[in-house]
């Protein structure tokens, strides 16, 4: 903001601010607000800081995560989870996430989830944020009231005052409860008619329940990569249904004896089915994937080069077959 020469900066007006959640976002928000002179209350439904980085072996009562009355579990961590980016890239700018000279800590560049939690605990102690946190206190409702104030209803989850509800007024509210606590379940027609066990990765903890079983894993992002690698060590077979695969490696995976990757249907095939048309041919899907891979590797010249000549041959064989049927 521009100021006229000689004018002193306007003093900051102290506000009473509520922060919902004591995970990484909530902790750094509370610190910054406190530094600016605001009065801060952090509401945390759990019994410690860390948010999604607090591991528990417990899972929800509904494995797929759709039943509204299910017993919910906050964390989505599986036992073997390690960070998928270097620790240096994860830390706060003025409180770097560097290895500790402590035999109880994890010094790896891609550490396990316990090390991330300990880092957040260190951060909390360093800046005395725990003094601002109300543990085992759940926010039940937030609503705007007169004069641009916010009313928060909270409920105590344990102790002598368990179930006690409290209404309080705040000048501002910062919601820091994350987005990894609710399973995102794709709509797949007919899946409820399948008699096998279904679960969401939110409720995955270790591979043992899949020993000697045939497993289908839907999705191909970071957690799917980790889980498929673990499950392949105990399962009879594992089949990955992937919407897109950059390297185009569908079929049997070369590094495993019991893993296959299959292309999913999610939009063109669905659109074709709505029109009564056949699904895309395999060679056509493979052409899309080869193009994507080539585009990422050679952005300026991928249009001038084509190495998957076998797909071109398959395409022309299909063209001939299709046009012959049309003529007859």
């Amino acid at each position: 903001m521009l100021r006229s020469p000689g004018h002193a900066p306007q003093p900051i007006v102290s506000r009473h601010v509520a922060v919902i959640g004591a995970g990484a976002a909530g902790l750094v928000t509370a610190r910054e607000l406190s530094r600016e002179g605001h009065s801060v209350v952090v509401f945390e439904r759990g019994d410690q800081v860390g948010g999604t980085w607090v591991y528990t072996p417990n899972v929800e009562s509904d494995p797929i995560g759709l039943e509204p009355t299910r017993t919910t579990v906050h964390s989505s961590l599986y036992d073997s989870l390690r960070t998928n980016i270097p620790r240096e890239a994860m830390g706060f700018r003025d409180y770097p996430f560097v290895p500790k000279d402590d035999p109880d800590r994890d010094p790896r560049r891609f550490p396990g989830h316990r090390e991330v939690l300990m880092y957040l605990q260190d951060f909390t102690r360093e800046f005395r944020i725990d003094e601002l946190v109300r543990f085992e206190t759940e926010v039940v409702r937030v609503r705007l009231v007169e004069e641009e104030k916010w009313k928060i209803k909270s409920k105590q989850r344990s102790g002598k005052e368990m179930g006690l509800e409290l209404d309080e007024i705040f000048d501002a509210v910062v919601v820091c409860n994350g987005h990894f606590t609710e399973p995102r379940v794709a709509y797949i027609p007919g899946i409820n008619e399948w008699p096998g066990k279904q679960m969401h990765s939110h409720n995955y903890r270790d591979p043992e329940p899949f020993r000697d079983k045939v497993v289908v894993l839907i999705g191909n992002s970071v957690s799917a990569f980790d889980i498929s690698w673990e499950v392949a060590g105990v399962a009879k077979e594992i089949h990955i249904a992937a919407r897109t695969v950059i390297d185009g490696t569908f079929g049997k995976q070369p590094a495993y004896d019991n893993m296959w990757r299959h292309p999913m249907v999610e939009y063109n095939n669905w659109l074709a089915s709505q029109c009564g048309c056949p699904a895309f041919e395999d060679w056509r899907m493979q052409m899309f994937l080869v193009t994507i891979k080539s585009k990422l590797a050679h952005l300026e010249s991928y249009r001038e080069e084509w190495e998957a000549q076998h797909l071109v041959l398959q395409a022309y064989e299909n063209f001939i077959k299709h046009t012959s049927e049309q003529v007859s």
Side-chain angles (χ1 to χ4, degrees):
M1 179 172 63
L2 296 176
R3 297 186 177 94
S4 301
H7 284 206
Q10 292 295 318
I12 294 175
V13 178
S14 178
R15 304 292 187 185
H16 190 41
V17 185
V19 176
I20 302 176
L27 294 175
V28 75
T29 297
R31 186 194 66 166
E32 293 302 305
L33 289 169
S34 296
R35 279 180 165 179
E36 293 293 327
H38 300 294
S39 167
V40 180
V41 175
V42 182
F43 294 89
E44 171 54 50
R45 63 179 299 178
D47 60 359
Q48 60 180 303
V49 302
T52 194
W53 291 102
V54 177
Y55 172 78
T56 173
N58 300 327
V59 295
E60 298 186 347
S61 54
D62 175 20
I64 201 69
L66 292 177
E67 174 54 51
T69 61
R70 70 188 186 278
T71 303
T72 59
V73 174
H74 181 81
S75 180
S76 297
L77 297 179
Y78 34 96
D79 187 44
S80 65
L81 184 141
R82 293 175 60 184
T83 66
N84 64 344
I85 57 175
R87 65 190 303 148
E88 291 84 357
M90 295 181 65
F92 302 126
R93 181 170 295 161
D94 61 352
Y95 195 79
F97 189 16
V98 296
K100 295 274 188 176
D101 186 15
D102 184 336
D104 195 41
R105 301 294 288 262
D106 184 350
R108 295 176 293 180
R109 175 137 289 114
F110 294 80
H113 56 78
R114 182 172 175 269
E115 174 71 4
V116 181
L117 177 61
M118 296 180 77
Y119 164 75
L120 294 174
Q121 291 170 343
D122 292 340
F123 179 83
T124 301
R125 285 190 294 268
E126 178 75 17
F127 298 101
R128 302 174 66 177
I129 305 171
D130 51 330
E131 299 175 5
L132 309 175
V133 184
R134 296 183 189 172
F135 292 106
E136 297 190 315
T137 305
E138 180 179 7
V139 173
V140 178
R141 185 175 66 223
V142 179
R143 66 187 182 94
L144 185 65
V145 293
E146 57 186 356
E147 297 181 358
E148 297 184 350
K149 301 287 186 178
W150 296 87
K151 178 180 282 190
I152 288 185
K153 180 184 286 292
S154 63
K155 181 171 66 175
Q156 194 67 29
R157 291 171 54 88
S158 66
K160 295 181 180 179
E161 298 181 339
M162 180 176 178
L164 178 67
E165 294 187 348
L166 183 65
D167 286 323
E168 297 173 273
I169 300 296
F170 291 86
D171 296 304
V173 179
V174 185
V175 180
C176 302
N177 64 341
H179 62 283
F180 293 118
T181 62
E182 290 288 332
R184 295 181 60 186
V185 182
Y187 170 69
I188 303 175
I191 196 168
N192 291 330
E193 300 175 12
W194 183 65
K197 179 181 178 180
Q198 300 178 43
M199 69 176 293
H200 191 277
S201 61
H202 173 72
N203 290 304
Y204 174 83
R205 294 295 181 267
D206 64 81
E208 192 56 35
F210 303 97
R211 182 171 294 278
D212 300 324
K213 295 184 178 180
V214 177
V215 181
V216 175
L217 194 153
I218 301 174
N220 194 47
S221 192
V222 177
S223 61
F225 180 85
D226 286 347
I227 293 172
S228 64
W229 176 80
E230 276 202 330
V231 172
V234 300
K236 181 180 179 181
E237 295 179 6
I238 180 165
H239 299 266
I240 304 170
R243 181 169 54 188
T244 56
V245 177
I246 297 302
D247 61 8
T249 54
F250 284 118
K252 194 173 189 302
Q253 298 303 286
Y256 303 89
D257 294 328
N258 62 341
M259 185 187 294
W260 289 262
R261 187 178 276 125
H262 309 273
M264 292 177 68
V265 174
E266 283 303 31
Y267 172 73
N268 290 320
N269 281 344
W270 174 84
L271 190 61
S273 69
Q274 302 304 300
C275 303
C277 299
F280 273 15
E281 306 90 337
D282 183 64
W283 61 261
R284 195 185 299 267
M285 296 297 295
Q286 292 292 338
M287 275 190 165
F288 289 150
L289 295 170
V290 168
T291 303
I292 292 172
K293 179 182 176 181
S294 180
K295 186 176 184 180
L296 291 174
H298 310 287
L299 181 60
E300 296 181 355
S301 61
Y302 78 95
R303 292 184 178 89
E304 317 304 329
E305 303 170 357
W306 183 262
E307 297 179 358
Q309 193 62 24
H310 66 288
L311 294 178
V312 177
L313 295 176
Q314 291 178 28
Y316 276 86
E317 288 175 0
N318 190 262
F319 293 159
I320 293 171
K321 178 182 177 181
H322 183 71
T323 52
S324 299
E325 290 174 352
Q326 293 290 90
V327 172
S328 61

